[in-house]
Amino acid sequence: MKIRRIGIDTSPDNTAFLLRTGNGYSPEQFQALRKIEIGDGSVTILATLALVDDTGLLGKGEIGLGEQAFRRLGLPEGTKVSFRQAPVPHSLEHVRRKIDGDSLDDNDIREIIEDIAAFRYSPMEIGAFLVACASFMTTQETLALTRAMADAGRRMQWAADIVVDKHCIGGIPGNRTSMIVVPIIAAHGLTMPKTSSRAITSPSGTADTMEVLASVDLAEDKLIAVVEQEHAVLAWGGRVNLSPADDILITVERPLRIDTFEQMVASILSKKIAAGSTHLVVDIPIGPTAKVRSQREAIRLRKLFEYVGHKLGLVLDVVFTDGTQPIGRGIGPVLEARDVMAVLRNDADAPADLRERSVTLAGRILEFDPALVGGRGYARAMELLGSGQALAAMERLIDAQGRRKEVLKPGEFHHEICAPHEGVVTMIDCHVIARIARLAGAPMDKGAGIDLLRKVGERVRADEPLYRIHAHSEDGLGYASELALATSGYLVTP
Amino acid sequence: MKIRRIGIDTSPDNTAFLLRTGNGYSPEQFQALRKIEIGDGSVTILATLALVDDTGLLGKGEIGLGEQAFRRLGLPEGTKVSFRQAPVPHSLEHVRRKIDGDSLDDNDIREIIEDIAAFRYSPMEIGAFLVACASFMTTQETLALTRAMADAGRRMQWAADIVVDKHCIGGIPGNRTSMIVVPIIAAHGLTMPKTSSRAITSPSGTADTMEVLASVDLAEDKLIAVVEQEHAVLAWGGRVNLSPADDILITVERPLRIDTFEQMVASILSKKIAAGSTHLVVDIPIGPTAKVRSQREAIRLRKLFEYVGHKLGLVLDVVFTDGTQPIGRGIGPVLEARDVMAVLRNDADAPADLRERSVTLAGRILEFDPALVGGRGYARAMELLGSGQALAAMERLIDAQGRRKEVLKPGEFHHEICAPHEGVVTMIDCHVIARIARLAGAPMDKGAGIDLLRKVGERVRADEPLYRIHAHSEDGLGYASELALATSGYLVTP
């Protein structure tokens, strides 16, 4: 069969096309061929087979590849390939045993993760593995999963002995501490190659917000060069193939909303190990609308992070932080970048909570430096920020990554949501605020989002604005305002 | 958007096609539109969206529907339809709670099953539900699942007060008792509308074997007419929409090989209730290579059948049978049909085990007749079989359903597998025998399969044939013989 490229895109799925008749296959055989393996001996991909009745699309002796399959196989049109029914991955037997209640050993889990990283599992099969793990997982299994995920892709190497990183488990809008912590650490001279994700369900990820100021989509050479020059980077992690199994698992975890502590630990630590980190601060915000809702839960999660991290040779410091409300004022890329730069510039009106949180976390990281062990990190972080050295480091980092030429502005369509009566703000619901910001258009529309004008503990008069929604379109503003008017996310207690 | 039919078949999935550009959608928006709901206000379907670059396939203002989606929507080409991002089924929240370890109530399960029956779940989501249930399920949940599945489709109604059925949980090759039991029961005058499946993983299902003799693909009117005339039918169940959720769940259970007692009970009983049965005999074969391997397991399964069956108003009799080896001699449609007819004709060389098993099960069913309660069923079944009344009932049934004109023969390519040394056959592995028969071509090739020449307990000399493989092609014979030579499935103890 010769490859023919078909202008149909079914990403993220691979699709192959074959004429229904004249190939020597019976309808029954096509049933078995629904999932096929295609290759030329050197490379192979798995694809779902679609049957074509229209001979305009495809000739005899040709196998069509949709855009996604064509890209992934990477062979030119006309290449001779063969195909066969996709073999069932042997490791599915382990998944079946896990479903039946068995615990899996290191090798079982390694085989499963290798098959997933090689795209040999369907979403249904990945879902089965994840749900079986979500119902019960031993610490040994969590450790094995983390190690297998870290090993499944490439691993970055750095010249420095100490390579630090920080990670927040997420869930708190506006929590853009990394963009302040990284320049502080870089100014001190520790190596901190921070790769971040884009937002998947939140109004902005660190990569989305950094992109307001500089390019974050760095090729690997470029990323390494920036780190060598500046000790740090604030880049999107999608370009470097770190823990690829994690990226695949996430595509199934998100729609099924599987978010157990075990999978969280494996996901975060596998990425950090693959990124070459040796020392890591993990930020766990605790609050009624955060991912972790009590000290008790937080301690259980910390122990799991510590157990797995230490077994894998990571020096780990887990910090509990206040997760009762959003951090800073802006929610959404442009508004968050504004807050970050205000803190770095030591502006008088910079959000105090974002500054305090960032300095605390930076301080904990700095104490990985043997010279600062034992509580001297906070003062050093404050010094680096207050003196403008952190701002200078940030400006160098922006230039090294590639400064964005135009200055992005908050969305020109805006609407204020006001207090229903006089009182004190006693709660801000992180989920609701995040949903409103996303409806306004964040993170795709960089300037869309929310500007919080009042935070928890502040007094408001009746009809005084609580926050302002920004959008780049009337539609976005409409959707967001509609939800905000139904559920503002604020509790104002008279 | 106007419908355009696209000659691409992606069954069992629905695919819709849209031009990538010129529709006012951004690439980001298409991401959200990956799964869409299409409809004209009266009917809707869900489909996966593929983006088309080739304007030859599709014009502006047109939405393409693949063959499967076009069939399922059922609207003519050119009909104006609208589409939107497929809404996430609300019942997925219940699935998430089940994954987290909650038990679900009747309403939760009903909502899940209704959404599944309406094709609102992806295979990944169905897999998540099934795996969560496989890890733990209360008897109350099993009952609710069975009831919801039975209610999700249509329910057949019959004139008779007593409508009997039998079901074997499967796993034993050659176990074609239904084709003997049904004519015995029909000859007695009880109503037994037996619908069966085709083989999915076995070498033949009752529908495949009956099809050697008569048409089994009966439209509903025809099926009802046959039952009214003959008290019975032996038809394929695929035409009548009984427990449609079960058919959908099976497409995910099979590849994941989820086969818990709870799901087995819900699947079997929901189909029987939907088929209008009032009295049911369940046959549970016990053996080392059967689905149930010990008396203890069988008792647990029986209790679950009884609990759910009785709660749903079914009169249930669970029979344990010998599952240590295949039943009869033939494995595969033609060879099994030969055995069945030999038993019905009272041939001297008819397989005694198939005859004995069938009469036992028929006897248990006959005791649902108040006139035969208390142990008189066996003798009555023997009388109906021995007198030729059962054979006459079968001939009438074949004529009523539509007798097959040509007589099908066993595959002309054959090969005998011989004893490695002298001794006694002490074990026959049901799995291995089934796999060899499938490799030979069964059930697609009606004459392919295995003819067992020796059974457990029989003496053989060295090189004496144990069984004969039949196939319609040299390839089929080759594949099957290759496995049989590596693993014959027979244990001959010297």
Side-chain angles (χ1 to χ4, degrees):
Chain A
M1 287 283 173
K2 283 185 177 166
I3 294 178
R4 177 146 167 196
R5 182 174 176 175
I6 305 280
I8 294 179
D9 195 344
T10 54
S11 58
D13 305 327
N14 295 334
T15 306
F17 300 84
L18 214 58
L19 282 178
R20 191 195 295 269
T21 53
N23 285 298
Y25 291 100
S26 68
E28 285 79 14
Q29 285 169 312
F30 274 129
Q31 241 182 346
L33 285 173
R34 177 90 181 112
K35 189 101 189 175
I36 59 173
E37 187 183 78
I38 311 166
D40 70 342
S42 60
V43 286
T44 61
I45 55 163
L46 298 180
T48 306
L49 188 62
L51 299 183
V52 175
D53 296 314
D54 174 1
T55 49
L57 263 187
L58 212 58
K60 274 200 184 179
E62 287 184 330
I63 182 164
L65 295 183
E67 292 296 337
Q68 169 76 3
F70 187 78
R71 262 197 307 272
R72 182 132 342 124
L73 186 59
L75 296 174
E77 264 201 287
T79 307
K80 272 189 81 172
V81 290
S82 61
F83 67 93
R84 59 169 183 156
Q85 187 181 348
V88 175
H90 167 69
S91 67
L92 273 177
E93 285 303 329
H94 310 324
V95 174
R96 289 190 189 104
R97 285 195 294 112
K98 181 75 189 157
I99 295 172
D100 285 347
D102 273 13
S103 289
L104 302 184
D105 68 21
D106 294 12
N107 239 325
D108 298 337
I109 290 178
R110 182 168 299 276
E111 286 174 21
I112 292 170
I113 291 301
E114 281 172 0
D115 281 337
I116 289 174
F119 301 100
R120 293 190 198 110
Y121 272 43
S122 68
M124 179 183 83
E125 291 159 347
I126 295 172
F129 172 63
L130 288 171
V131 172
C133 287
S135 82
F136 180 70
M137 219 175 168
T138 67
T139 45
Q140 188 58 37
E141 286 179 318
T142 309
L143 174 59
L145 179 63
T146 311
R147 188 185 275 132
M149 283 166 67
D151 288 348
R154 58 185 310 285
R155 209 179 261 224
M156 301 198 80
Q157 305 264 333
W158 305 101
D161 291 335
I162 296 181
V163 178
V164 304
D165 207 338
K166 77 158 267 287
H167 193 92
C168 175
I169 66 161
I172 308 298
N175 199 5
R176 281 291 87 71
T177 55
S178 290
M179 286 174 63
I180 300 164
V181 168
V182 168
I184 293 177
I185 304 303
H188 180 74
L190 280 177
T191 298
M192 188 164 184
K194 177 112 189 83
T195 55
S196 311
S197 60
R198 293 187 188 278
I200 302 177
T201 58
S202 73
S204 189
T206 294
D208 299 306
T209 300
M210 184 65 185
E211 202 172 30
V212 171
L213 309 172
S215 172
V216 295
D217 188 359
L218 307 183
E220 197 177 323
D221 297 359
K222 173 77 175 174
L223 187 147
I224 291 170
V226 171
V227 175
E228 278 174 3
Q229 186 186 312
E230 304 297 336
H231 304 294
V233 76
L234 272 162
W236 177 51
R239 273 283 197 111
V240 274
N241 190 31
L242 303 176
S243 190
D246 186 49
D247 296 340
I248 296 168
L249 291 177
I250 279 177
T251 63
V252 175
E253 282 166 2
R254 297 284 165 174
L256 294 178
R257 269 196 262 147
I258 293 175
D259 202 7
T260 63
F261 284 176
E262 288 77 8
Q263 272 143 355
M264 191 189 290
V265 166
S267 166
I268 292 171
L269 295 189
S270 67
K271 281 263 192 247
K272 298 303 173 191
I273 290 163
S277 304
T278 61
H279 293 66
L280 175 66
V281 163
V282 177
D283 173 8
I284 302 182
I286 306 172
T289 58
K291 283 192 185 171
V292 172
R293 302 186 177 209
S294 71
Q295 182 97 0
R296 195 195 165 99
E297 271 185 61
I299 289 171
R300 198 169 78 72
L301 180 55
R302 177 170 72 190
K303 285 181 176 166
L304 195 61
F305 265 115
E306 288 173 347
Y307 173 81
V308 175
H310 292 169
K311 285 274 185 190
L312 296 176
L314 266 181
V315 180
L316 208 89
D317 187 13
V318 178
V319 184
F320 296 161
T321 55
D322 175 17
T324 54
Q325 62 171 331
I327 303 288
R329 282 197 283 270
I331 318 283
V334 166
L335 294 162
E336 291 174 9
R338 178 203 63 192
D339 284 0
V340 163
M341 293 312 291
V343 170
L344 286 169
R345 280 193 311 260
N346 295 295
D347 286 356
D349 62 349
D353 57 347
L354 178 62
R355 175 187 172 93
E356 179 58 28
R357 175 76 49 95
S358 303
V359 170
T360 301
L361 292 170
R364 296 287 279 259
I365 295 170
L366 287 173
E367 293 182 20
F368 288 139
D369 179 349
L372 293 174
V373 164
R376 282 175 295 157
Y378 184 88
R380 174 67 176 146
M382 200 55 108
E383 179 194 335
L384 290 163
L385 179 64
S387 66
Q389 293 175 75
L391 177 61
M394 182 61 155
E395 296 290 356
R396 283 197 304 273
L397 205 52
I398 290 171
D399 285 328
Q401 293 188 198
R403 185 180 295 270
R404 187 186 271 267
K405 293 208 176 59
E406 79 276 43
V407 174
L408 300 183
K409 294 263 172 64
E412 61 275 30
F413 296 90
H414 51 83
H415 180 77
E416 287 175 353
I417 301 297
C418 298
H421 47 71
E422 197 187 323
V424 177
V425 176
T426 49
M427 211 200 79
I428 304 178
D429 186 315
C430 292
H431 290 141
V432 172
I433 291 299
R435 275 180 58 206
I436 293 170
R438 281 188 68 98
L439 284 174
M444 294 299 178
D445 295 344
K446 292 279 188 198
I450 292 180
D451 213 6
L452 304 176
L453 306 174
R454 288 284 175 264
K455 300 287 291 280
V456 169
E458 293 182 23
R459 282 208 78 81
V460 286
R461 294 183 309 275
D463 299 324
E464 196 184 334
L466 298 168
Y467 56 87
R468 189 181 301 122
I469 304 170
H470 285 273
H472 285 306
S473 72
E474 252 177 288
D475 276 4
L477 189 68
Y479 299 142
S481 303
E482 194 182 344
L483 174 58
L485 291 171
T487 322
S488 72
Y490 269 61
L491 188 64
V492 178
T493 306
Chain B
M1 288 281 172
K2 282 186 177 167
I3 294 179
R4 176 146 165 196
R5 181 175 178 174
I6 306 279
I8 293 179
D9 194 345
T10 54
S11 57
D13 305 325
N14 295 335
T15 306
F17 301 85
L18 213 57
L19 281 178
R20 191 196 295 272
T21 53
N23 285 299
Y25 290 100
S26 68
E28 286 77 17
Q29 285 170 312
F30 275 129
Q31 244 182 343
L33 285 173
R34 177 91 182 110
K35 190 102 189 172
I36 59 173
E37 188 183 78
I38 310 166
D40 70 340
S42 60
V43 285
T44 61
I45 55 163
L46 298 181
T48 305
L49 188 62
L51 299 184
V52 175
D53 296 314
D54 174 0
T55 49
L57 262 187
L58 211 57
K60 275 200 183 177
E62 287 183 330
I63 183 163
L65 294 183
E67 293 296 338
Q68 170 75 5
F70 186 78
R71 262 197 307 273
R72 187 140 329 132
L73 186 59
L75 296 173
E77 263 199 289
T79 307
K80 275 189 79 172
V81 291
S82 60
F83 67 92
R84 58 167 183 160
Q85 187 182 348
V88 175
H90 167 70
S91 67
L92 273 176
E93 284 303 329
H94 310 325
V95 174
R96 290 191 189 104
R97 284 196 294 113
K98 180 76 189 156
I99 294 172
D100 286 346
D102 273 13
S103 290
L104 302 183
D105 69 21
D106 294 13
N107 238 325
D108 298 336
I109 290 178
R110 180 169 300 276
E111 287 174 20
I112 292 170
I113 291 300
E114 282 172 358
D115 280 338
I116 289 175
F119 302 99
R120 292 189 198 111
Y121 271 43
S122 68
M124 178 182 84
E125 291 159 348
I126 294 172
F129 172 63
L130 288 171
V131 172
C133 287
S135 83
F136 180 71
M137 219 174 168
T138 67
T139 44
Q140 188 57 37
E141 286 178 320
T142 310
L143 173 60
L145 179 63
T146 312
R147 188 185 277 133
M149 283 165 67
D151 288 347
R154 59 186 308 285
R155 209 178 261 225
M156 301 196 80
Q157 304 263 334
W158 304 101
D161 290 336
I162 297 181
V163 178
V164 304
D165 207 338
K166 77 159 266 286
H167 193 92
C168 175
I169 66 161
I172 310 297
N175 199 6
R176 282 292 85 73
T177 55
S178 290
M179 286 173 63
I180 300 163
V181 168
V182 168
I184 293 176
I185 304 303
H188 180 75
L190 280 178
T191 298
M192 188 165 184
K194 176 112 189 83
T195 55
S196 312
S197 60
R198 293 188 188 278
I200 301 177
T201 58
S202 72
S204 189
T206 295
D208 300 304
T209 300
M210 184 65 185
E211 202 173 30
V212 171
L213 308 172
S215 172
V216 295
D217 189 359
L218 307 183
E220 196 176 323
D221 296 359
K222 173 78 175 176
L223 188 147
I224 291 170
V226 172
V227 174
E228 278 174 0
Q229 186 184 313
E230 305 297 335
H231 302 296
V233 76
L234 272 163
W236 175 52
R239 275 284 197 109
V240 272
N241 191 33
L242 303 176
S243 192
D246 186 48
D247 296 340
I248 296 169
L249 291 177
I250 280 177
T251 64
V252 175
E253 282 166 1
R254 296 285 165 176
L256 294 179
R257 269 196 262 143
I258 293 174
D259 203 7
T260 61
F261 285 177
E262 287 77 7
Q263 272 144 355
M264 192 190 290
V265 167
S267 166
I268 293 170
L269 295 189
S270 67
K271 280 263 194 248
K272 297 305 175 191
I273 290 164
S277 304
T278 61
H279 293 65
L280 175 67
V281 163
V282 178
D283 173 8
I284 302 182
I286 306 172
T289 58
K291 283 191 185 172
V292 172
R293 301 185 177 209
S294 70
Q295 182 96 4
R296 195 196 166 98
E297 271 184 63
I299 290 172
R300 198 169 76 72
L301 180 56
R302 178 171 70 189
K303 285 179 176 164
L304 196 60
F305 265 116
E306 287 173 348
Y307 174 80
V308 175
H310 292 171
K311 285 275 185 186
L312 295 177
L314 265 180
V315 179
L316 208 89
D317 186 12
V318 178
V319 184
F320 296 161
T321 56
D322 175 17
T324 55
Q325 62 171 332
I327 303 287
R329 282 197 283 271
I331 318 285
V334 166
L335 294 162
E336 291 174 8
R338 177 204 63 192
D339 285 0
V340 162
M341 292 313 291
V343 169
L344 286 169
R345 279 193 311 260
N346 296 297
D347 286 356
D349 63 348
D353 57 347
L354 178 62
R355 175 188 170 92
E356 178 59 26
R357 176 76 49 96
S358 303
V359 171
T360 301
L361 292 171
R364 296 288 279 258
I365 295 170
L366 288 172
E367 293 181 20
F368 288 140
D369 178 349
L372 293 174
V373 164
R376 282 174 296 158
Y378 184 88
R380 173 67 176 147
M382 201 53 107
E383 179 194 336
L384 291 163
L385 179 64
S387 65
Q389 293 175 77
L391 176 63
M394 182 62 153
E395 296 291 357
R396 282 197 305 272
L397 204 51
I398 291 172
D399 284 328
Q401 293 187 199
R403 185 179 296 270
R404 187 187 270 268
K405 294 210 173 58
E406 79 276 43
V407 175
L408 299 183
K409 294 263 170 67
E412 59 276 31
F413 296 88
H414 51 83
H415 180 77
E416 286 176 353
I417 300 297
C418 298
H421 46 70
E422 198 187 323
V424 177
V425 177
T426 49
M427 210 199 79
I428 303 178
D429 187 316
C430 293
H431 290 143
V432 173
I433 291 298
R435 275 181 57 208
I436 294 170
R438 281 188 69 98
L439 284 172
M444 294 298 177
D445 296 343
K446 292 277 187 200
I450 292 180
D451 214 7
L452 303 176
L453 306 174
R454 287 283 175 264
K455 299 287 290 278
V456 169
E458 294 182 23
R459 283 206 77 81
V460 286
R461 293 183 311 274
D463 299 324
E464 196 184 332
L466 297 169
Y467 56 88
R468 189 182 301 122
I469 303 171
H470 285 273
H472 284 307
S473 72
E474 253 178 286
D475 276 3
L477 189 67
Y479 298 142
S481 302
E482 195 181 344
L483 174 59
L485 291 171
T487 321
S488 73
Y490 269 62
L491 188 66
V492 177
T493 307

